[in-house]
Amino acid sequence: MPNWADKLIQEYFDGKRQLLKASKNLDKKNPVEREYKTMINSMTEDMDFCH
């Protein structure tokens, strides 16, 4: 049975995977989507720092 820390770690990996998937689907040529990509990349970098 997983404990609370195992659940948090799984949530972390699931969230990061979703962010990376969303980032890959954005068009770099579209200025709005480029801004979203920048925000998503910042979020994943923060997640890496915390991990």
Side-chain angles (χ1 to χ4, degrees), residues 6-24:
D6 293 332
K7 289 179 184 179
L8 286 177
I9 291 170
Q10 186 60 48
E11 288 177 13
Y12 161 83
F13 283 116
D14 291 343
K16 186 173 177 191
R17 187 177 313 115
Q18 290 173 355
L19 286 172
L20 292 172
K21 183 178 178 182
S23 178
K24 287 181 183 180

Side-chain angles (χ1 to χ4, degrees), residues 22-37:
S23 178
K24 287 181 183 180
N25 292 329
L26 295 174
D27 181 11
K28 292 180 185 178
K29 295 179 183 178
N30 181 325
V32 173
E33 290 189 15
R34 189 175 350 150
E35 184 66 27
Y36 288 151
K37 189 169 185 69

